[in-house]
Amino acid sequence: MTTLPKQSLPLLGIDPRDNRLVDEKEAARVLGLSVRTMQQRRYLGQEPYPVQLPDSRAIRYWLPSLYEYIGRGFKLFGEADI
């Protein structure tokens, strides 16, 4: 598996300095997943891990952790699994 080089983030329209917390819908959009898939992954305890705001039921995702998750899962087309 190949890690996504940080210098390629701006080419993908990703600002590595953007460290906002985003809601589930925006996180799903960033990852190219459905909101239902995000909910299922959260229920199963799978990455990307959400943040629950104190004294709230609100679930948010930290953008840098989403980008890190993308980078760790990045695989070149045709690259064999090791």
Side-chain angles (χ1 to χ4, degrees), residues 57-71:
R57 292 177 51 202
I59 298 294
R60 297 292 183 261
Y61 291 85
W62 192 45
L63 273 177
S65 69
L66 295 177
Y67 298 150
E68 181 183 325
Y69 174 72
I70 292 169

Side-chain angles (χ1 to χ4, degrees), residues 39-75:
Q39 293 167 347
Q40 185 72 12
R41 294 185 67 83
R42 185 174 73 242
Y43 174 78
L44 294 172
Q46 298 175 341
E47 286 188 274
Y49 300 116
V51 173
Q52 187 165 8
L53 301 177
D55 300 323
S56 173
R57 292 177 51 202
I59 298 294
R60 297 292 183 261
Y61 291 85
W62 192 45
L63 273 177
S65 69
L66 295 177
Y67 298 150
E68 181 183 325
Y69 174 72
I70 292 169
R72 280 186 282 113
F74 179 73
K75 188 168 92 169

Side-chain angles (χ1 to χ4, degrees), residues 4-16:
L4 187 64
K6 284 193 184 259
Q7 62 269 27
S8 65
L9 292 177
L11 298 175
L12 298 173
I14 298 171
D15 182 0

